[in-house]
Amino acid sequence: VSKKEISVNWFLLDNRIKRMKRNMLKDYKEQIQDADLVLVGIGRELRADRVIDFKKAITNEHYQNLIDKEDEDSKWMRTVYEREYLLSMKETDLFKELEEVLEGKEYFVVTSNDDGLLYHTHLKKDHVTAPCGNGDFFQCSAPCDEQLYPANLGLRDLIDYYEKTGKIEHLECPKCGKQLIFNVRTEETKSIYIEGAYLNSWASYTKWLQNTLNKKLFILELGEGFEVPSLFRWPFEKMAFYNEKATFVRVHHSLYQIGKEIKEKGIGIKMDSRDFLNIAHE
């Protein structure tokens, strides 16, 4: 390899590094601080199992013994442990950089994730909405009615029973005897998903959106593909199009593109949202 080739390669690498450094959240801090309002969407690239290494975080030997098992019962029990971990966790600094740039700003955060992780950050809880659920509740799998059941006690019962007997069980609906499932919206549960738990926060969100008209609005979409595009991917594009004072930033490792209609107002960044927020991961 000639010295010239080495020099060219180093030049290209240096440019790639500089581009990556420019495409970090902190580089948009001034624009965010200059905005009247900030709207943030958080998608699947930032779900709990991508920012938390459960294998390291949950040291319980019973959970560890389930890690390499792929039968449905073992997968269910792993989920029980992970949900219990998330519900009982203290405040996390995983989203520290996002919290810092939003400090002092009027903002709202909407997420398509169903893990409840954002409620354990330092973000304002009354300015977060999770329409796909947050793991706080169980519901009937039928469902026989609209009743929701707090998950924390049920999870602990399932774990205690498993650790004492080695048997993996499910919870039953006290009204009809059908199996209880997590009150979260997935492709499998979207037709039976009970929506009551998030409606108050969604009402606050829609009311907040009414105040964005003719305001300098910074829209930040992080890690949302096409899992639930109608939740905020498409609505964010529409808001950016109609709001003359909007700025739109979309971050995703592959689905980062933005429409030509809003090219002048926005940018699509080809990057994993974890890197954009400087969240450590393997």
Side-chain angles (χ1 to χ4, degrees):
V1 180
S2 68
K3 289 184 178 180
K4 184 178 181 180
E5 288 175 316
I6 293 174
S7 177
V8 170
N9 287 337
W10 272 108
F11 174 77
L12 293 173
L13 177 61
D14 184 56
N15 274 349
R16 282 199 296 269
I17 292 172
K18 286 179 179 177
R19 285 199 298 271
M20 285 184 66
K21 286 183 177 178
R22 282 200 299 271
N23 287 336
M24 300 290 281
L25 177 61
K26 61 184 179 182
D27 299 304
Y28 295 90
K29 185 173 182 178
E30 287 187 12
Q31 287 178 272
I32 290 172
Q33 288 300 314
D34 186 52
D36 298 319
L37 301 168
V38 183
L39 177 58
V40 183
I42 292 182
R44 304 300 170 85
E45 279 190 340
L46 294 170
R47 65 183 186 265
D49 64 351
R50 297 195 84 237
V51 298
I52 297 174
D53 187 344
F54 286 118
K55 293 180 181 179
K56 293 180 180 179
I58 305 176
T59 57
N60 181 292
E61 63 177 328
H62 298 278
Y63 173 80
Q64 291 292 320
N65 291 335
L66 292 165
I67 287 175
D68 296 322
K69 297 180 180 179
E70 291 303 315
D71 61 281
E72 291 304 313
D73 279 346
S74 295
K75 289 179 181 179
W76 159 250
M77 202 63 215
R78 282 203 302 272
T79 301
V80 168
Y81 274 100
E82 290 162 7
R83 289 284 182 180
E84 201 265 347
Y85 175 87
L86 288 167
L87 283 176
S88 61
M89 73 184 299
K90 297 179 180 179
E91 286 192 329
T92 175
D93 290 325
L94 283 167
F95 291 85
K96 183 178 180 180
E97 294 208 2
L98 179 61
E99 295 162 2
E100 288 177 349
V101 300
L102 292 177
E103 188 173 358
K105 299 302 299 180
E106 179 62 34
Y107 65 83
F108 218 105
V109 181
V110 55
T111 181
S112 58
N113 294 332
D114 60 24
D115 47 50
L117 184 59
L118 290 180
Y119 292 101
H120 297 278
T121 67
H122 302 280
L123 295 169
K124 293 183 286 188
K125 309 302 183 292
D126 59 347
H127 281 65
V128 175
T129 186
C132 294
N134 58 25
D136 277 359
F137 299 100
F138 284 115
Q139 68 166 79
C140 176
S141 58
C144 62
D145 63 14
E146 299 292 305
Q147 182 68 44
L148 296 176
Y149 304 92
N152 53 353
L153 295 177
L155 292 172
R156 179 39 54 188
D157 286 344
L158 289 170
I159 289 171
D160 288 343
Y161 184 78
Y162 172 66
E163 293 182 355
K164 288 177 182 177
T165 68
K167 296 179 180 179
I168 297 174
E169 292 290 348
H170 293 264
L171 298 175
E172 293 182 353
C173 174
K175 295 185 177 180
C176 72
K178 296 284 187 179
Q179 185 174 302
L180 290 182
I181 59 174
F182 285 108
N183 174 233
V184 296
R185 184 189 186 279
T186 66
E187 276 301 304
E188 293 74 28
T189 66
K190 62 184 181 182
S191 64
I192 59 172
Y193 174 53
I194 296 173
E195 297 183 320
Y198 79 87
L199 292 181
N200 286 338
S201 64
W202 186 258
S204 297
Y205 173 54
T206 54
K207 183 177 180 180
W208 186 90
L209 287 178
Q210 294 171 8
N211 296 320
T212 63
L213 295 175
N214 299 316
K215 296 286 182 66
K216 194 179 291 186
L217 176 66
F218 190 97
I219 305 172
L220 178 61
E221 182 187 297
L222 299 170
E224 180 67 4
F226 281 97
E227 293 88 0
V228 196
S230 60
L231 181 57
F232 60 82
R233 185 181 178 95
W234 295 338
F236 279 14
E237 291 177 352
K238 187 175 181 180
M239 277 183 264
F241 178 76
Y242 284 107
N243 189 322
E244 295 291 336
K245 301 177 182 179
T247 299
F248 181 41
V249 175
R250 167 174 285 157
V251 185
H252 194 276
H253 79 283
S254 61
L255 300 171
Y256 58 91
Q257 300 85 356
I258 59 176
K260 61 182 180 179
E261 301 86 358
I262 54 175
K263 282 283 187 182
E264 294 182 0
K265 297 180 179 180
I267 181 174
I269 299 175
K270 185 180 181 180
M271 176 182 279
D272 191 306
S273 298
R274 296 174 298 179
D275 296 323
F276 186 76
L277 296 183
N278 199 26
I279 297 175
H281 60 92
E282 296 181 359

